[in-house]
Amino acid sequence: MDRLASFGNDPFDKPPCRGCSSYLVEPYIKCAECGPSPFLLCLQCFTRGYEYKKHQSDHKYEIMTSDFPVLEPGWTAQEEMALLEAVMDCGFGNWQDVAYQMRTKTKEECEGHYMKNFINNPLFSSTLLSLRQMEDHLSRTADTAIPFKPTDDPPRPSFDSQVSRDMAGYMPARADFMEEFDNYAEWDLKDIDFVDDDSDILHALKVAVVDIYHSRLEERQRRKKIIRDHGLINLRKFQILERRYPKEVQDLYDVMRRFARVVGPIEHDKFIESHALEFELRREIRRLQEYRREGIQSFCGAKVYERVKRIREDERRKRNMLCDVLQYIHDARACQQWLHKQAAILLLQSLRSAPPLNLTGLPGTEKLNEREKELCQVVRLVPGAYLEYKQALLNECRRQGGLRLAQARSLIKIDVNKTRKIYDFLIKEGYINKA
């Protein structure tokens, strides 16, 4: 029995049966005496004793099959060839599509088997040793060569993870997307073949299909350029940068986003920044006009006015609460609903004083110093989110030359008490300075 089939998995890749001209399906028979071209028969023709010219039914034969393990149990030779073909078609690392093309193994099984038997196989040690010796020889002969050693391994998010969805399927290790725009554009070309006996109309039609394919490739590259120029890969960081603006500017940002691809990234950012500055100036002008209406003539008096104004607002809120109690006291059902609402508020306040957060095993903890770890435990903030908020505040402070608490609160949309603690901590540690 010959256990090394000379053809691939696809029956259309094999010559047809010499007896019935049907496509061969494993196992099939190969004559060991007829040659040099292989004389192949299906099992049905072989059992009938098919003979043709020099081939006789009593010739020696070989059973061609790939249904046997080669490298490890559970993986047949046919599956080994299917795995190699799938990796060649889908690309190394794209295990989800590799498993989908094989249909008999999961992506974890495909990845583990390929890494074990084709990447980390000790049978290749002699080849690797010769390569290392060659590299040592080149390093000794070329003293001016500067080796490149990357300092940081690019992230490799899994296909169905939240990080991969936030990054629109982008794979940093491959510098490409998991799924391209118009992903099946190449399918229209798979059956096109230019031959000499094509008519003029058929030739022109094939050329038109190729031109259409080129236009779809240009559209794919145009979209990649927009994503790269505007920094749209990481959705979470993009949203954090967008939230640094007040609500009115965010609405304008959302409306004008569709025109960003026309004016370019720098011009678009200048346009949004100018409107944000206009909004800040108008709000400051309204605040100064309010001081003037109230007869305030100095900034010291303005501080006293703001403090008294906050106290007045608190008193008004308390009076409204008392009015609610007096209003619902004669209505049992309304009073019960109001009590449930107040109990929910008290429960939320009690949850804010929860025990410190355990940072063991959380990603990003190793990037924090001891004081930052203590802050994340007290504030109950995961290290990854803290690092993003810190970087956003540092960038804004560097851009404006200083940062106010109100700007920090508009930049990171979390609990105001947590924002104040992060802001005070960064001020105390000297990371940022007040405006």
Side-chain angles (χ1 to χ4, degrees), residues 18-32:
R18 298 296 295 270
C20 59
S21 300
S22 62
Y23 290 106
L24 295 173
V25 179
E26 295 182 358
Y28 56 93
I29 305 300
K30 175 184 176 182
C31 181

Side-chain angles (χ1 to χ4, degrees), residues 84-214:
L84 296 177
E85 291 178 359
V87 172
M88 185 181 299
D89 295 340
C90 304
F92 176 75
N94 195 3
W95 303 114
Q96 185 72 25
D97 289 347
V98 169
Y100 179 78
Q101 182 168 328
M102 288 194 60
R103 298 183 182 275
T104 58
K105 301 292 182 180
T106 64
K107 66 176 184 178
E108 291 80 8
E109 293 174 341
C110 295
E111 180 180 6
H113 182 78
Y114 192 89
M115 296 300 294
K116 175 183 177 182
N117 296 282
F118 297 99
I119 300 298
N120 303 322
N121 196 330
L123 296 176
F124 304 147
S125 58
S126 58
T127 305
L128 295 177
L129 180 60
S130 62
L131 290 177
R132 292 194 186 97
Q133 292 175 352
M134 185 180 298
E135 290 177 357
D136 295 338
H137 176 70
L138 293 176
S139 63
R140 287 193 299 269
T141 57
D143 296 333
T144 58
I146 302 176
F148 171 73
K149 296 180 180 180
T151 58
D152 191 11
D153 191 39
R156 292 176 170 83
S158 58
F159 173 71
D160 53 352
S161 64
Q162 182 64 36
V163 177
S164 178
R165 288 192 292 269
D166 290 343
M167 297 176 67
Y170 184 74
M171 302 180 66
R174 291 172 52 187
D176 207 346
F177 289 88
M178 179 76 69
E179 183 175 349
E180 296 280 2
F181 168 75
D182 200 356
N183 198 39
Y184 300 100
E186 290 77 11
W187 280 24
D188 296 336
L189 299 178
K190 63 184 180 67
D191 297 328
I192 291 182
D193 187 16
F194 288 90
V195 294
D196 296 336
D197 56 350
D198 283 345
S199 62
D200 294 339
I201 297 178
L202 183 59
H203 181 79
L205 180 61
K206 292 180 179 180
V207 172
V209 173
V210 175
D211 291 339
I212 294 173
Y213 171 68
H214 285 166

Side-chain angles (χ1 to χ4, degrees), residues 381-394:
L381 191 65
V382 295
Y386 164 76
L387 291 174
E388 291 186 2
Y389 298 152
K390 174 185 175 183
Q391 189 61 40
L393 295 178
L394 290 177

Side-chain angles (χ1 to χ4, degrees), residues 58 270 273:
D58 58 350
K270 287 182 178 179
E273 289 289 340

Side-chain angles (χ1 to χ4, degrees), residues 3-53:
R3 290 196 166 193
L4 293 177
S6 57
F7 304 100
N9 294 331
D10 192 352
F12 297 95
D13 294 338
K14 304 182 182 71
C17 173
R18 298 296 295 270
C20 59
S21 300
S22 62
Y23 290 106
L24 295 173
V25 179
E26 295 182 358
Y28 56 93
I29 305 300
K30 175 184 176 182
C31 181
E33 299 183 10
C34 297
S37 59
F39 191 90
L40 306 179
L41 292 174
C42 64
L43 294 180
Q44 289 77 12
C45 294
F46 176 75
T47 55
R48 290 197 302 265
Y50 177 81
E51 295 180 349
Y52 179 76
K53 293 184 179 180

Side-chain angles (χ1 to χ4, degrees), residues 28 30 70 72 88 96 103 112 184 194-195 197 225 233 240 243 249 265 279 289 368 377 382 395 410 412 430:
Y28 56 93
K30 175 184 176 182
V70 177
E72 64 179 46
M88 185 181 299
Q96 185 72 25
R103 298 183 182 275
Y184 300 100
F194 288 90
V195 294
D197 56 350
K225 185 177 184 300
I233 293 294
I240 291 178
R243 292 183 188 136
V249 181
F279 177 80
Q289 289 176 346
L368 306 180
Q377 289 175 349
V382 295
N395 294 338
S410 62
I412 52 177

